Amino acid sequence: MFNHEQMQQLISAYTDNEVSLTERQEVEAHLKECASCQKYLSELQMVKKSLKIWSNETLSPDLEQKIKQGLAKAQPRGGGEMKNSKRAMALSLTAVMVVVAMVYVTVYQGKTRLAKHLNSAVDDIGDKFILREVGKKLDKKTWDNNIRREKSQRAFEYQQLAKVVRGADGAGKDELFEKQNADRRGTVQSQPSTSELAKGIRDEKVDQEFWGKPSGGGENIKGALNVEYMLSDKFIVAETRKENFNTEQYDRIDENGFLAAKDNPLSTFSIDVDTASYSNVRRFLNDGQLPPQDAVRIEEMINYFTYDYPQPKGDGLFSLTTQGAKCPWNKRHDLVLVGLQGKKVDLKELPPNNLVFLIDVSGSMQPANKLPLLKKSFELLVEQLRRKDRVSIVVYAGAAGVVLDSTPGSEKEEILEAIDRLEAGGSTAGGAGIELAYRIAQENFITHGNNRVILATDGDFNVGVSNDDDLVRIIEKKRNEGIYLTVLGFGMGNYKDSKMEKLADKGNGNYAYIDNRSEAEKVFVNQLGGTLLAIAKDVKIQIEFNPAKVKAYRLVGYENRMLKKEDFNDDRKDAGELGAGHSVTALYEIIPAGVDDSEEVDDDGDTDTSFSKVDPLKYQATKIINSGDLMTVKLRYKEPKEETSQLLQQRVKAEDIAEESPDENFQFASAVAEFGLLLRDSEYKARASYDQVLRRAKRAIGEDEEGYRTEFIGLVKKAQSLSAGQWSDRETMD
Amino acid sequence: MGKKDEELIADVQAGDPVALEELFMRYKISILNYALRMLKVRADAEDITAEVFLVLSSRSQTYQPVAKFSTWIYTIARNLCVSRLRKRNRFVSLWFKKDGEGELVAFDVPDPNAHDGQGHDQKDMAVYVQRAIAKLPLKQKEIVILREYQNLSYEEISQVLAISLAQVKILIFRARERLRVDLDPLIKEASDV
């Protein structure tokens, strides 16, 4: 009997061209006569085709650079055959020792002077490392100086390291290797494995980045920050400012353009915003560089600042503020500000908190931007607690179990001491974990209080539950019993961000991503109410423009938050959350109806093009309602426990547009926006200028208790001189 | 294109850093995507990718011209992936759940920013494909990845996985049997177009 299965196996190999000539002929002959095998062949081909749907991804330029640098480091310099491997080992040993030193230093930070010295040495390594790469494009003299400095620095460090490692009880060093070698069954390796090197490359960059300057944005996924990303931006910028800027470093932002109100009367977006871009821009400017254009997300810069919007009246959760005036950078246009203010909850009035911190102290939490930052953040939080609050600390991995029993918030010393004792490292221990954390929360449950487990981790976390489905079940069960889950992410790449949020979501909690000290301050001090208490979720804004009054409009920023107009009323569509006391600001640049654009010629000699490129409709006659409104602002939100949204509306009348708004909020927000347009060299910047920005910002500086606005003014000045310098550089280069 | 891979690795053995970088540029995409398909987790895949080239560099002397260079680099990559997978089984991750086979499946999170209709479907389909492959027994899965995505020949696959050529043929046949069934809805959709 003819064996079809065998034939099919042949056909399978045939589709891969893995058959001999005779086999090929056999298959082809058979296919001519057998319909079912023909079918089989085409099915296989379809399978092959559909597999391709899972397409390839690219390396981020950042990863590529890191690997190249790692290779260059590991590679012996210069020729010689036998010596190479020894040198490579020595170099990689040095690299790992530096990593070990940084780790060691992290753990015992502040306890030795050496630690401080090494910190600054490491700080320098970061910068020099970069300079050296950039040095390839600089002149030889600078390059030589850099190399010399770096060599002598490394020699010095190696010396110091030798002292440290020999002198101390070696605990730091062994801990690191122990963790890495846990699965090598006790044999401690005396030379670094490449996996350590590779991991070292990743962590080292993270450490350098953190010790150097505060990091910030870089990605446009909500709440997400990619620390590692930052380093390569830094060294690319220096060399490419003078050449074509490589726009692949950041996801390209295609700015929102002007839309004709007649064709697109609705503008819809989610309020979910970070403030990361501002921190990032700040970092570049403090380093003496202009930030890459795509790193400037204007809405994040505007929202970094707090504005003096009125509190909602009565039981309301929000207040909606609208302001209009002439657009400062384009006098033919108007600028409308939409401000959303969440209800502030006085910290004293916050319901009593029953908090259980579940902290990941596994080895991977060692770098500075993880456990040490976490500890600092908790210290900030503890300062805010009251007698009616209770705090407990549970750790997992390392010292298993309860580090601090439930303690009143007034016993600050005791709590702070317990936090201080936390150390990363050590092998995995069974035992304590999320179940323990919830148990303690249960035992100290406060009726009508905020009962919450706060999980702090870098993501690589063994929660002590045997499988993940159990974990989710526990979280959901506890949520139904009134114990919520907040998740704090430290030092993680942005790809895990949405998952962390999802877990917090299941736990009816919130999540925050803490990447540096200033962010920790924001989350735990300035916006503590918002952190502990979200007042609304799925908050969306939709604005309808009146074509009779508005010819065209442009939303400044929020490119990544845009929603489809149908999503506004669709309660199934997620959007952002608003914490207590948080505010959100959006600016629309408006071309009023009746402004004759054909006369408008800007500096380059271009004229504004007409906006409506759409043919008039044939089967519908749009009747524009007679109204004095400029636009209507609608807001949808859900209370934290609800699944149905509520609606708020507010009209903005055309006559409300003033010549120049005296309102500080408007002045300052528009100054920040104008600054953003300049940094982006936006095609919509029109007559924006640094002087204008400074003038308005200075006038609107207000109380500025935290000093952020003053800092802003300083940054604008820096940017101003940098961009002036850039122009003169170009001239001398010609 | 210039030198062949085998010539480049010989240069690397002699200590030439340019050759090493050239090899990296040639194989970076393949290795990254191989690791991504094996490990699913981007951070792990990036670590492995870096490691592969470091090993290439530090243990270049172990390469014998008897085997093709590509076979060698994939063997390295595979070994690293497999040990990473083994290590993973110890941990219950906060971010991934394990399905029946111990395969890590990320918590299902629809990207809130994916509002583009086109993009949405594409992503769904890719996830569909990923799941179908994830369900395959380990060896079959590895063969499918090496054959369909990394385009290795049966001979090369047999060397990387250290199994016989006959086994490769049979296993890929079996894998396709399963995929035919699992991907059926996708195939139907595609043929309706």
Side-chain angles (χ1 to χ4, degrees):
Chain A
M1 269 313 311
F2 187 76
N3 188 336
H4 257 107
E5 173 151 327
Q6 268 200 339
M7 173 50 65
Q8 285 180 343
Q9 284 179 25
L10 259 187
I11 294 180
S12 161
Y14 174 75
T15 61
D16 292 323
N17 276 324
E18 294 272 358
V19 286
S20 68
L21 191 53
T22 20
E23 286 171 332
R24 174 182 293 275
Q25 290 167 341
E26 208 185 307
V27 167
E28 287 172 352
H30 177 79
L31 283 172
K32 285 208 183 96
E33 332 170 310
C34 177
S36 82
C37 281
Q38 279 168 21
K39 181 159 178 285
Y40 178 74
L41 173 65
S42 78
E43 278 174 6
L44 277 195
Q45 288 167 336
M46 292 304 297
V47 166
K48 263 183 179 301
K49 201 168 146 208
S50 30
L51 287 179
K52 294 289 182 253
I53 294 175
W54 187 6
S55 51
N56 272 354
E57 298 189 24
T58 51
L59 273 86
S60 64
D62 168 63
L63 175 65
E64 219 178 284
Q65 291 302 339
K66 276 195 304 198
I67 297 183
K68 280 190 185 164
Q69 283 163 16
L71 290 180
K73 258 204 305 189
Q75 208 36 355
R77 286 175 201 119
E81 294 182 23
M82 277 305 118
K83 291 194 188 145
N84 285 348
S85 47
K86 286 219 187 105
R87 262 212 244 165
M89 262 192 3
L91 274 169
S92 48
L93 190 62
T94 315
V96 173
M97 301 238 73
V98 172
V99 172
V100 167
M102 291 197 288
V103 157
Y104 186 87
V105 155
T106 302
V107 171
Y108 291 87
Q109 187 201 351
K111 295 201 176 154
T112 54
R113 275 189 335 158
L114 172 66
K116 260 198 233 147
H117 186 95
L118 261 173
N119 284 356
S120 61
V122 167
D123 198 311
D124 288 345
I125 288 184
D127 289 338
K128 280 182 201 125
F129 201 76
I130 297 161
L131 282 174
R132 192 164 135 251
E133 290 306 309
V134 176
K136 285 194 171 103
K137 312 252 181 213
L138 297 176
D139 59 286
K140 189 167 190 313
K141 179 156 164 239
T142 322
W143 166 293
D144 285 344
N145 278 335
N146 289 348
I147 298 274
R148 221 170 318 156
R149 264 157 53 211
E150 190 177 7
K151 273 196 185 151
S152 73
Q153 188 63 39
R154 281 195 189 258
F156 172 78
E157 279 142 26
Y158 194 70
Q159 252 184 328
Q160 296 295 337
L161 273 168
K163 275 194 236 162
V164 165
V165 171
R166 248 181 277 133
D169 61 355
K173 177 184 173 199
D174 280 348
E175 254 182 311
L176 172 68
F177 283 124
E178 213 177 80
K179 173 152 206 302
Q180 304 277 19
N181 294 323
D183 57 338
R184 284 180 199 138
R185 289 181 188 83
T187 54
V188 179
Q189 284 206 331
S190 56
Q191 73 193 50
S193 74
T194 50
S195 66
E196 277 149 26
L197 253 186
K199 190 121 203 315
I201 289 177
R202 274 168 68 81
D203 285 346
E204 193 177 308
K205 288 292 177 278
V206 167
D207 281 353
Q208 287 171 359
E209 186 48 43
F210 181 73
W211 285 119
K213 321 272 176 227
S215 65
E219 280 290 338
N220 58 6
I221 301 177
K222 66 174 170 180
L225 295 164
N226 187 338
V227 175
E228 295 151 4
Y229 208 25
M230 291 300 98
L231 200 59
S232 79
D233 301 325
K234 203 160 143 177
F235 91 73
I236 288 289
V237 169
E239 60 183 6
T240 58
R241 262 299 159 181
K242 298 191 177 180
E243 298 161 13
N244 297 325
F245 181 69
N246 178 5
T247 56
E248 284 162 20
Q249 293 301 318
Y250 286 85
D251 279 354
R252 189 169 182 71
I253 301 177
D254 284 322
E255 278 187 297
N256 287 333
F258 279 99
L259 293 170
K262 196 158 54 78
D263 303 326
N264 301 281
L266 295 171
S267 176
T268 317
F269 61 97
S270 157
I271 64 133
D272 188 38
V273 285
D274 298 318
T275 54
S277 176
Y278 182 78
S279 324
N280 194 23
V281 165
R282 173 174 62 195
R283 192 183 63 109
F284 275 106
L285 292 173
N286 283 332
D287 279 352
Q289 289 165 3
L290 287 170
Q293 292 162 351
D294 285 324
V296 180
R297 289 191 292 279
I298 303 184
E299 77 275 10
E300 293 188 17
M301 290 177 60
I302 297 173
N303 281 305
Y304 186 83
F305 299 92
T306 47
Y307 298 95
D308 190 19
Y309 297 131
Q311 276 292 294
K313 297 193 187 57
D315 285 334
L317 283 179
F318 296 103
S319 75
L320 203 50
T321 305
T322 48
Q323 287 255 350
K326 285 272 163 262
C327 178
W329 54 85
N330 189 333
K331 294 285 187 259
R332 287 177 162 273
H333 298 171
D334 292 335
L335 192 65
V336 175
L337 174 147
V338 177
L340 176 65
Q341 174 69 50
K343 184 178 178 131
K344 280 199 180 99
V345 179
D346 196 346
L347 281 178
K348 292 197 229 58
E349 285 165 39
L350 274 181
N353 291 302
N354 167 24
L355 305 174
V356 179
F357 290 117
L358 176 57
I359 304 182
D360 176 0
V361 292
S362 62
S364 69
M365 290 288 283
Q366 267 167 334
N369 66 337
K370 296 187 186 179
L371 188 59
L373 177 58
L374 171 56
K375 285 160 75 165
K376 204 90 209 123
S377 312
F378 279 161
E379 283 166 28
L380 294 172
L381 171 62
V382 168
E383 299 296 313
Q384 321 270 326
L385 296 175
R386 312 150 296 179
R387 181 134 58 99
K388 55 184 172 177
D389 299 321
R390 309 194 63 84
V391 178
S392 165
I393 302 180
V394 173
V395 294
Y396 192 80
V402 185
V403 166
L404 179 74
D405 274 316
S406 193
T407 307
S410 45
E411 306 291 323
K412 299 198 199 289
E413 287 304 320
E414 210 186 318
I415 303 175
L416 289 173
E417 230 177 279
I419 291 175
D420 198 44
R421 271 185 268 132
L422 296 173
E423 269 175 30
S427 50
T428 338
I434 204 149
E435 282 173 315
L436 179 56
Y438 275 119
R439 181 152 60 77
I440 295 186
Q442 190 70 57
E443 282 167 10
N444 295 282
F445 195 86
I446 302 178
T447 334
H448 300 309
N450 177 20
N451 298 283
R452 191 173 288 271
V453 168
I454 301 183
L455 169 59
T457 173
D458 64 349
D460 225 2
F461 189 43
N462 183 349
V463 291
V465 178
S466 56
N467 75 65
D468 297 285
D469 288 333
D470 284 352
L471 173 62
V472 171
R473 261 197 290 277
I474 292 175
I475 292 177
E476 286 175 327
K477 178 163 177 283
K478 290 302 172 184
R479 172 197 71 199
N480 295 333
E481 290 170 18
I483 302 175
Y484 304 133
L485 177 73
T486 287
V487 184
L488 300 177
F490 288 82
M492 291 175 0
N494 62 356
Y495 80 98
K496 288 168 178 158
D497 176 73
S498 50
K499 291 156 187 113
M500 184 163 67
E501 193 194 10
K502 180 79 177 182
L503 273 179
D505 212 46
K506 288 186 194 279
N508 236 33
N510 50 352
Y511 93 101
Y513 179 73
I514 302 190
D515 67 317
N516 59 31
R517 285 181 189 98
S518 79
E519 197 55 30
E521 265 180 39
K522 262 188 147 244
V523 166
F524 285 110
V525 179
N526 305 341
Q527 306 191 328
L528 183 63
T531 305
L532 288 180
L533 191 68
I535 54 174
K537 61 183 189 185
D538 290 340
V539 185
K540 307 167 188 162
I541 293 188
Q542 183 171 74
I543 301 191
E544 182 181 349
F545 291 94
N546 178 3
K549 297 287 179 196
V550 174
K551 183 158 167 176
Y553 63 88
R554 181 179 108 75
L555 174 56
V556 179
Y558 291 95
E559 284 83 11
N560 299 316
R561 309 290 168 214
M562 302 308 293
L563 296 172
K564 292 202 279 232
K565 59 185 193 285
E566 297 82 19
D567 292 341
F568 184 68
N569 289 322
D570 186 349
D571 279 352
R572 293 166 306 167
K573 290 292 181 203
D574 289 327
E577 267 193 355
L578 196 70
H582 285 170
S583 74
V584 174
T585 303
L587 290 174
Y588 278 92
E589 191 177 335
I590 297 203
I591 302 183
V595 167
D596 189 352
D597 299 311
S598 57
E599 289 176 13
E600 182 165 331
V601 179
D602 66 28
D603 291 332
D604 292 335
D606 294 335
T607 52
D608 266 354
T609 48
S610 149
F611 292 100
S612 185
K613 293 186 166 61
V614 177
D615 292 340
L617 294 177
K618 198 163 143 184
Y619 303 104
Q620 292 180 45
T622 9
K623 178 168 182 277
I624 297 177
I625 316 281
N626 202 356
S627 160
D629 288 349
L630 193 71
M631 63 199 213
T632 294
V633 179
K634 295 181 287 184
L635 171 76
R636 274 207 181 274
Y637 66 94
K638 295 176 192 159
E639 292 191 31
K641 298 199 175 78
E642 302 296 322
E643 288 314 314
T644 338
S645 65
Q646 303 179 43
L647 179 67
L648 273 184
Q649 303 196 58
Q650 187 155 313
R651 294 155 59 197
V652 181
K653 300 209 201 74
E655 67 214 22
D656 291 339
I657 307 293
E659 264 302 312
E660 197 179 287
S661 172
D663 183 84
E664 262 177 27
N665 293 329
F666 185 92
Q667 296 281 39
F668 198 78
S670 66
V672 178
E674 193 171 343
F675 183 46
L677 291 174
L678 286 165
L679 288 177
R680 286 189 58 82
D681 198 19
S682 163
E683 63 183 282
Y684 303 104
K685 70 181 180 186
R687 301 220 156 66
S689 82
Y690 287 104
D691 284 329
Q692 270 177 206
V693 173
L694 285 169
R695 202 165 13 101
R696 282 211 310 290
K698 282 181 187 161
R699 264 195 284 160
I701 198 167
E703 299 263 325
D704 197 26
E705 283 166 355
E706 292 133 11
Y708 292 132
R709 293 193 180 193
T710 312
E711 182 186 53
F712 173 76
I713 291 175
L715 291 178
V716 177
K717 289 189 183 153
K718 282 200 173 105
Q720 186 177 33
S721 63
L722 280 170
S723 60
Q726 193 185 29
W727 284 112
S728 59
D729 267 354
R730 285 207 190 146
E731 284 162 23
T732 55
M733 267 171 65
D734 289 338
Chain B
M1 259 292 113
K3 291 186 171 178
K4 288 210 269 202
D5 294 341
E6 287 72 21
E7 290 175 343
L8 284 175
I9 189 68
D11 289 344
V12 172
Q13 286 172 331
D16 178 5
V18 174
L20 180 61
E21 200 175 300
E22 174 62 27
L23 282 172
F24 169 64
M25 295 306 284
R26 285 189 190 181
Y27 278 91
K28 61 184 181 177
I29 302 265
S30 314
I31 297 294
L32 175 71
N33 283 286
Y34 173 69
L36 270 172
R37 293 193 166 101
M38 290 286 279
L39 300 172
K40 298 298 180 45
V41 178
R42 179 103 198 178
D44 286 351
E46 290 183 351
D47 279 346
I48 296 293
T49 305
E51 258 186 80
V52 166
F53 291 100
L54 283 170
V55 166
L56 208 80
S57 153
S58 64
R59 292 194 217 146
S60 61
Q61 312 300 335
T62 62
Y63 170 72
Q64 312 282 34
V66 179
K68 277 181 77 176
F69 172 77
S70 59
T71 315
W72 188 57
I73 196 173
Y74 276 107
T75 310
I76 295 174
R78 182 193 176 245
N79 289 340
L80 292 173
C81 286
V82 166
S83 33
R84 182 63 70 110
L85 281 171
R86 269 194 221 124
K87 225 201 278 190
R88 217 188 246 174
N89 278 329
R90 280 176 237 278
F91 291 94
V92 160
S93 162
L94 201 53
W95 315 125
F96 301 92
K97 51 185 183 208
K98 290 192 197 132
D99 64 12
E101 305 257 349
E103 171 72 35
L104 289 187
V105 177
F107 277 122
D108 228 314
V109 192
D111 181 352
N113 291 322
H115 287 281
D116 165 33
Q118 186 68 287
H120 215 62
D121 289 333
Q122 193 68 14
K123 233 182 245 201
D124 284 343
M125 291 202 285
V127 171
Y128 208 85
V129 170
Q130 288 175 41
R131 289 236 179 90
I133 295 186
K135 279 158 70 173
L136 295 171
L138 187 59
K139 271 271 172 356
Q140 288 181 25
K141 183 171 75 154
E142 287 200 70
I143 295 180
V144 168
I145 292 178
L146 289 171
R147 175 79 274 278
E148 301 285 358
Y149 296 101
Q150 312 303 133
N151 293 312
L152 292 191
S153 70
Y154 284 7
E155 177 58 43
E156 291 173 300
I157 295 176
S158 78
Q159 286 179 28
V160 171
L161 298 182
I163 56 179
S164 73
L165 194 57
Q167 275 178 296
V168 174
K169 285 190 184 167
I170 281 242
L171 288 174
I172 196 169
F173 165 72
R174 289 199 194 135
R176 285 171 172 155
E177 288 295 280
R178 286 194 188 215
L179 289 173
R180 262 203 314 160
V181 172
D182 288 339
L183 293 179
D184 188 60
L186 265 187
I187 297 176
K188 282 238 163 51
E189 218 182 270
S191 56
D192 282 343
V193 166

